[in-house]
Amino acid sequence: GAVVSQHPSWVICKSGTSVKIECRSLDFQATTMFWYRQFPKQSLMLMATSNEGSKATYEQGVEKDKFLINHASLTLSTLTVTSAHPEDSSFYICSASGLAKQFFGPGTRLTVL
Amino acid sequence: GNSVTQMEGPVTLSEEAFLTINCTYTATGYPSLFWYVQYPGEGLQLLLKATKADDKGSNKGFEATYRKETTSFHLEKGSVQVSDSAVYFCALSDRGSGGGADGLTFGKGTHLIIQP
């Protein structure tokens, strides 16, 4: 099946710094990618929809200036958490749309100290 | 807004036992419904789906029937194996497109543990 990778798989950073997470579709082209966030023992929450070559669409309550999304090619979307704070610590998961399905990456664990 | 509620885990069963994981939903319109499975260290994988009322999704011995009257999509398997141990997520796509082009609304996930 289609493979989606995320990098890094985990990252620890200091408060106030920015962190970039990459999401790649390895064997198919994805015009649409999605970014989700998961807190411990909670469901995945959709943060934004990323379309190649256009601005991302953010869900209500998600700060677009804090969570910058770039989808510059059909195989790569990036999520940058700017000026990260401890409350941004979470598990971030991307998915890529292809073949009328969504294929999920393994997730990135972000810890902000 | 949309929401998905699924039973809390962990659910611990013996091998060959019958499995039911309950899932109910709230949505406008006619959503598509999904079950995803996540094995340790891996991304979510689509297990099965149903796109309209009374449809039954099935895969790998798992089944779920889209019940509009009870707004439910319970996951069942007649005889579980140790290899079925994973986290199972119920989800919906509210535009009924099949989940490809729309963001999904997920339940909290149910951790299933199968003991030999």
Side-chain angles (χ1 to χ4, degrees), chain A residues 34 36 42-43 46 97 100 102 104-105, chain B residues 36 43 98-100 102-104 106-107:
Chain A
F34 303 91
Y36 296 84
Q42 299 294 318
S43 61
L46 179 65
S97 176
Q102 284 190 37
F104 286 80
Chain B
Y36 282 85
D102 302 313
L104 299 169
F106 283 90

Side-chain angles (χ1 to χ4, degrees), chain A residues 18-62:
Chain A
S18 294
V19 174
K20 180 185 284 188
I21 302 170
E22 294 184 348
C23 176
R24 292 182 184 272
S25 56
L26 298 184
D27 50 5
F28 68 102
Q29 294 183 330
T31 56
T32 303
M33 290 185 174
F34 303 91
W35 286 96
Y36 296 84
R37 182 175 181 177
Q38 185 180 27
F39 292 102
K41 298 185 179 181
Q42 299 294 318
S43 61
L44 283 74
M45 301 296 295
L46 179 65
M47 299 175 65
T49 301
S50 168
N51 291 297
E52 188 266 338
S54 63
K55 291 184 178 180
T57 302
Y58 290 82
E59 295 298 302
Q60 192 173 10
V62 178

Side-chain angles (χ1 to χ4, degrees), chain B residues 4 68 113:
Chain B
V4 175
K68 192 171 185 297
I113 301 169

Side-chain angles (χ1 to χ4, degrees), chain B residues 39-104:
Chain B
Y39 299 102
E42 299 182 13
L44 278 75
Q45 301 173 27
L46 178 64
L47 179 60
L48 53 85
K49 71 175 185 180
T51 57
K52 61 183 188 296
D54 299 326
D55 267 4
K56 177 186 285 187
S58 61
N59 186 26
K60 299 181 181 179
F62 291 90
E63 292 183 341
T65 301
Y66 189 145
R67 301 288 188 198
K68 192 171 185 297
E69 63 276 13
T70 54
T71 62
S72 65
F73 193 54
H74 305 321
L75 183 68
E76 297 182 335
K77 185 174 186 182
S79 177
V80 293
Q81 305 300 314
V82 172
S83 57
D84 294 327
S85 299
V87 181
Y88 292 81
F89 292 89
C90 186
L92 71 81
S93 169
D94 66 354
R95 285 198 288 172
S97 68
D102 302 313
L104 299 169

Side-chain angles (χ1 to χ4, degrees), chain A residues 53-110:
Chain A
S54 63
K55 291 184 178 180
T57 302
Y58 290 82
E59 295 298 302
Q60 192 173 10
V62 178
E63 299 177 59
K64 62 180 181 181
D65 294 330
K66 180 165 190 62
F67 299 100
L68 300 179
I69 292 172
N70 183 276
H71 192 163
S73 77
L74 289 172
T75 60
L76 173 65
S77 177
T78 61
L79 168 68
T80 301
V81 183
T82 62
S83 187
H85 291 285
E87 58 265 29
D88 299 323
S89 299
S90 192
F91 195 55
Y92 293 88
I93 301 171
C94 74
S95 70
S97 176
L99 305 173
K101 296 179 180 180
Q102 284 190 37
F103 299 94
F104 286 80
T108 296
R109 172 76 60 193
L110 170 63

